Amino acid sequence: MSKNEFLELLRAALSGEIPDLEIESNMKYYEEYIRTEGYKTSEEEVVNQLGDPRLIAKTIIDTYQLSHDSMFHNANRNKGFYDTEGAYNNKYEGYKDDYNYDGNYNKSKGSSGRNFSFHVNTSLTWIQKALIIAIIVLLVIVLIFVGGVLLNILFTVAIPLLFIYIVYRIIKEAMK
């Protein structure tokens, strides 16, 4: 596979999965890498050593989404250009044409149907969960402490006062 074929496949696999700025950054990196390594060996050999551009794209997309998980979410994440099943074959035939999410070959040019959706992450991080657990444990300890103090007051003050009150009532009733 040539350098241009590799870069076109990589761009097609990244298109619609991550922002254009990220795509351009990665394209520049791989173009520069192939060019500089191509001085030592042929560009075609460097491309072959890099491997399947779909798998590279999958790694780039996964890394991007992990690092931007709280604000970035692609609803069709598990069905992308880089899937090994579908119309795309391992001989890189038809690389210039678009592939849509269901893996079907689409000869018409234009949008491949990929889009972004942004959301607010409502799940708690492990730090937030640990903080909630710590607060709950602290509340339980405070309740046990307060309960212990109340029981101590009850047994040292309230029960003797209750006992004195009952004796007083019995004496008062007996004197009538």
Side-chain angles (χ1 to χ4, degrees):
M1 173 186 323
S2 72
K3 170 185 168 182
N4 289 337
E5 290 171 338
F6 178 88
L7 293 173
E8 286 179 33
L9 282 171
L10 183 61
R11 182 180 297 279
L14 293 173
S15 178
E17 296 286 340
I18 60 175
D20 290 341
L21 186 60
E22 291 292 322
I23 294 172
E24 292 307 316
S25 173
N26 282 285
M27 296 303 295
K28 286 178 185 176
Y29 171 80
Y30 280 100
E31 189 171 355
E32 179 68 21
Y33 179 82
I34 293 168
R35 188 175 54 77
T36 56
E37 292 297 313
Y39 290 133
K40 299 173 189 172
T41 63
S42 70
E43 285 184 350
E44 196 167 297
E45 190 173 321
V46 174
V47 168
N48 289 335
Q49 289 173 353
L50 285 172
D52 190 344
R54 297 174 303 156
L55 297 178
I56 294 172
K58 182 180 184 332
T59 303
I60 293 168
I61 293 164
D62 289 345
T63 303
Y64 180 82
Q65 288 185 343
L66 284 174
S67 66
H68 295 82
D69 189 39
S70 63
M71 68 174 198
F72 179 79
H73 175 72
N74 186 328
N76 296 315
R77 187 63 207 98
N78 293 325
K79 300 184 288 182
F81 179 86
Y82 51 81
D83 288 340
T84 56
E85 297 176 13
Y88 184 85
N89 64 32
N90 290 331
K91 296 180 181 173
Y92 307 103
E93 293 177 316
Y95 65 90
K96 293 182 181 177
D97 295 307
D98 292 329
Y99 292 84
N100 50 23
Y101 277 122
D102 57 6
N104 294 327
Y105 186 72
N106 181 10
K107 288 190 183 249
S108 64
K109 295 293 179 187
S111 173
S112 61
R114 298 176 184 179
N115 57 8
F116 292 108
S117 66
F118 292 89
H119 76 287
V120 176
N121 188 0
T122 57
S123 64
L124 299 176
T125 64
W126 70 271
I127 294 174
Q128 292 169 328
K129 290 176 185 176
L131 185 61
I132 289 171
I133 290 171
I135 290 171
I136 291 171
V137 168
L138 185 63
L139 285 174
V140 168
I141 291 172
V142 167
L143 287 175
I144 290 172
F145 178 75
V146 169
V149 169
L150 289 177
L151 283 176
N152 192 16
I153 292 172
L154 178 70
F155 285 116
T156 58
V157 177
I159 290 182
L161 286 176
L162 183 62
F163 180 72
I164 292 170
Y165 177 73
I166 291 172
V167 170
Y168 169 76
R169 293 289 286 173
I170 291 174
I171 295 173
K172 188 174 177 185
E173 286 295 320
M175 294 188 142
K176 274 190 181 180

